[in-house]
Amino acid sequence: VRDAIERDQIGLSAGRTREAAIVVSDVGEFALIDRILARVWRGGGEKVVVAPGDDATVLATEGARVVASTDLLVDGVHFRRDWSTATDIGHRAAAANLADIAAMGATPIGLLVGLGLPGEVELEWVDGLADGLRDECSAAGALIVGGDVVRSPTITVSATAIGTTHGQPVLRSGARAGDVVVVAGRIGFAAAGLALLQAGQLEHPLADAHRRPQVAYAAALRLAELGATSMIDVSDGLVADLRHVATASGVRVELTRDDLPLDAALVDAGLAIGVDPLTWVAGGGDDHAFVATLPPDAALRAVARVADLPEPVPFAQIGRVVTGSGVVFIDGDAPQAHGHAHFS
Amino acid sequence: VRDAIERDQIGLSAGRTREAAIVVSDVGEFALIDRILARVWRGGGEKVVVAPGDDATVLATEGARVVASTDLLVDGVHFRRDWSTATDIGHRAAAANLADIAAMGATPIGLLVGLGLPGEVELEWVDGLADGLRDECSAAGALIVGGDVVRSPTITVSATAIGTTHGQPVLRSGARAGDVVVVAGRIGFAAAGLALLQAGQLEHPLADAHRRPQVAYAAALRLAELGATSMIDVSDGLVADLRHVATASGVRVELTRDDLPLDAALVDAGLAIGVDPLTWVAGGGDDHAFVATLPPDAALRAVARVADLPEPVPFAQIGRVVTGSGVVFIDGDAPQAHGHAHFS
C-alpha cells in the first residue's frame, strides 16, 4: 500500500512511458540489493577477504598503502537520462573515481557504490547502471566491493574507489623546474561531446565521448613507474588542473598551443558548431586524461612505454615546468582561461 | 547570474526565513570545500600519508586488512531538517558507517564524505553538518580523510568508512550452537525518539536519541577481542538483524523477552504515547547497538570487560544460539516480528 501511494505521489517523469515495466518501488531493499549484486559481483579473488553482504567488506592489502577517493553524481547536474543510457552513467560514475586512484600512481582494487533511487525508476535502468559500474571497474582492474541502496527523490550515484600502492604516491606537489609536461589519454573529446549534445546532435559519434570516457588507467601506472614527479587526472579542464599542480608544486607551467593534441574529429566538430576546438582541449573536463610531469629522460622513455601498452593511448608532450607561478601559453593566447566549475 | 537564477528557481523552503544568511550558491565549489576542510581536518597523524586535497587520500595500514562500508542519507527520507540540527545529521551519517566497521571487529580510521547540496542551503547549516561528522569520527577514533561537494536538488550525505584489522574480521556467519547472545549499547532509544517526534513531542529528552545515536564503538572492539563468533550493528532492528545472523550462520537464535534491556525512560515514553516499549527494543533500528554471539565463558568475561570501559555502556545477555533456523522468543510472543524497511 505504501509503495502504491508513494508511486502515485511521485508520478512518472514527463515523456517517459512505463507500461508494465517493473520499477524500484515494486521490490524491497534487500531484493534490489540482491539483484544488483547478481550483476556486479564477480567473485573476490585473493584481494577480497570478506565479500559484500556483511556489515562491511574486508580487503587484503599486503602491506601496501591504501588510496581512497569519493565522488557524487546527481541526475540533472552531472548526467541527463535523455542524453545517456544507464550503462553510460555507470561507466562515468566509476571512471571519475577510478581515475583519481590511478592519478596517484596507485592500482584501483575496489569500488563502493551508494545509489539513491526514486521509487518509479525502472529496474531495467538500475540493471544498466550496475552493468556500467561493473564493466568500468573491470577496465581498471577493480571490483565492485560494497554498496548501499536507498530511496531518494533524486537519482544519485555515490562512488568511493579504493586502491593500493607499494611505492610513493604521485602527488600534485612534486613538479620541478626542468620537468616536461605530458598528457596521456583522450582530451577534449568529452567536452566536444557535451557541446554536440547541447546543440541537439544526440547521434553524433563524438557525443559518446561525453557519455562514456575512455580512461587510460594503464598509462597512468606506467607514468608513475617511470618516475612522474606529479600527476593529475583532468576533470576540471587541462589548464585548471595544471594550475592546481603549479600552485601545489610552487612552479610555473609553460604550455605550447601547437603541441596540444587536436584530433581531426574535434576540428570537424568545432567547425560544425562554430567553436574553437582548442577550447575543448584546454578547458574541457571529464575525459579523465592523465597529465604528468617527468624529468626529460623519463618523458622520452614514457613515449615508448605508453606506445607499448596493449590498447593504444594518445600521448603528447605539451609543455615544460619552469620557476615561477601559474600556467601560461608561450605561443599565443590561452584557448580558454578557466575550467568549468562543478558546483555553482 | 546563473547562481541567482538557480536560487530563484529553487526558492526557499516553506517556513524558513533567511534574511542575509550566506548560502551555498554564494560561494564556489573550491571555497566551500576549503571551508569544510577547515572545520573537519584535524591533521593526519601517522595513518594519513597524503591528506585530502590531492586526487585521493593515502592511508598507511601497516599490513592490516582494510574494512570498508558505505551509506547514503537523504533529506526527507533518513532525516528531517525540522527534527534534527545539521550537527545531529552529521553525527548520524558518520555513526551509521563507523558502526559497520566496528561491527566487523575493526578499528575505524577514516571517513570519506560526499555532500549533495541545493544552492539555497545556508553555509551555517553546512558548517554544522561538518562539525557533526568530525565529532562523531573523533568519538570512534577516526578522521575525515576525503570528500566531494556537488550541487543537488536534494540534500544528500554519502559516507564511506574505512577501518583496519590485524585479526580475523567478525562476521555474521560465525554464530555456533551453544553461544550466548549479548547486546552492547543503547537499544530501542532511537525508535522511541522517532515515535515521540512523530507524535509531535520535539522537546522530549528521548527525541535526542533519534537525533544523535550514542554508539558503543569501544565495546564492539572488546567483544571482538574476547572472541565474538559473530557480530552485527543493529540498524534494521534487533530481531531483523539477528535473523541475518541466524541465516548466515545456519543456526536458530532463542531470545528471552524478560532479558531484553528495557530502560525506565522507554517504559515512561511508551505509556505516554500508548506503545509497547519492547517493540522499540526488538524492532527499532538506528541506535547502532552491537549484537554479538560468544561462547559462554567469553560472554562472562565480556560483562567485566565492557563494564571496565571509560564510558559506561549498557550490556545485556539476551538469548542463546541453538541448532535450527530463525529467531524466536522462548517466553512469549515477539514484541514485533519485523524491522523497518529502509527502502520502500
Side-chain angles (χ1 to χ4, degrees), chain B residues 162-332:
Chain B
I162 293 179
T164 56
T165 175
H166 286 84
Q168 287 299 318
V170 183
L171 308 186
R172 299 177 178 189
S173 56
R176 294 292 168 258
D179 285 348
V180 165
V181 182
V182 302
V183 59
R186 303 205 308 184
I187 186 158
F189 284 67
L194 180 59
L196 289 161
L197 286 165
Q198 286 166 338
Q201 300 201 24
L202 273 62
E203 305 302 323
H204 196 289
L206 267 181
D208 286 341
H210 164 79
R211 295 185 178 112
R212 202 177 291 195
Q214 293 178 13
V215 183
Y217 302 106
L221 296 178
R222 289 258 160 124
L223 292 172
E225 287 162 16
L226 286 163
T229 53
S230 78
M231 186 153 54
I232 193 167
D233 80 291
V234 178
S235 51
D236 293 325
L238 178 65
V239 172
D241 283 315
L242 275 171
R243 201 173 291 126
H244 297 318
V245 171
T247 303
S249 300
V251 296
R252 181 180 188 85
V253 172
E254 291 185 345
L255 297 176
T256 309
R257 267 178 83 104
D258 285 348
D259 289 339
L260 292 184
L262 183 57
D263 194 278
L266 298 186
V267 176
D268 290 345
L271 285 170
I273 58 174
V275 173
D276 173 2
L278 270 185
T279 62
W280 293 328
V281 177
D286 291 333
D287 286 300
H288 302 294
F290 297 100
V291 181
T293 57
L294 303 100
D297 55 331
L300 267 178
R301 285 197 302 277
V303 177
R305 293 294 308 281
V306 169
D308 191 38
L309 287 167
E311 302 277 335
V313 172
F315 187 82
Q317 181 173 322
I318 58 172
R320 61 196 191 110
V321 180
V322 298
T323 55
S325 65
V327 178
V328 293
F329 283 88
I330 57 170
D331 59 345

Side-chain angles (χ1 to χ4, degrees), chain A residues 2-3 6 24-25 27-30 32 49-50 53-72 74-75 77-78 100-101 103-104 112-117 146-154 156 158 160 162 165 169-173 231-233 236 244 341-344, chain B residues 2-3 6 24-25 27-30 32 49-50 53-72 74-75 77-78 100-101 103-104 112-117 146-154 156 158 160 162 165 169-173 231-233 236 244 341-344:
Chain A
R2 187 173 157 200
D3 286 356
E6 186 171 282
V24 162
S25 63
V27 296
E29 177 193 6
F30 297 120
L32 188 57
V49 181
V50 176
D54 217 294
D55 294 297
T57 306
V58 182
L59 306 170
T61 63
E62 296 151 14
R65 284 157 166 185
V66 175
V67 183
S69 176
T70 197
D71 278 305
L72 276 182
V74 177
D75 187 20
V77 178
H78 302 95
D100 280 329
I101 302 301
M104 300 296 281
L112 296 102
V113 179
L115 298 182
L117 297 171
D148 187 26
V149 178
V150 302
R151 188 160 56 85
S152 170
T154 307
T156 306
S158 79
T160 303
I162 294 179
T165 175
V170 183
L171 308 185
R172 299 176 180 189
S173 55
M231 185 155 53
I232 193 167
D233 79 291
D236 293 324
H244 297 319
H342 286 296
F343 191 77
S344 53
Chain B
R2 186 172 157 200
D3 286 356
E6 186 171 282
V24 163
S25 62
V27 296
E29 177 192 8
F30 297 120
L32 189 57
V49 181
V50 176
D54 217 292
D55 294 297
T57 306
V58 182
L59 306 170
T61 63
E62 296 151 13
R65 284 157 166 185
V66 176
V67 184
S69 175
T70 197
D71 278 305
L72 276 183
V74 176
D75 187 20
V77 178
H78 302 95
D100 279 329
I101 303 301
M104 300 296 281
L112 296 102
V113 180
L115 298 181
L117 297 171
D148 187 25
V149 178
V150 302
R151 186 161 57 87
S152 170
T154 306
T156 305
S158 79
T160 303
I162 293 179
T165 175
V170 183
L171 308 186
R172 299 177 178 189
S173 56
M231 186 153 54
I232 193 167
D233 80 291
D236 293 325
H244 297 318
H342 286 296
F343 190 78
S344 53

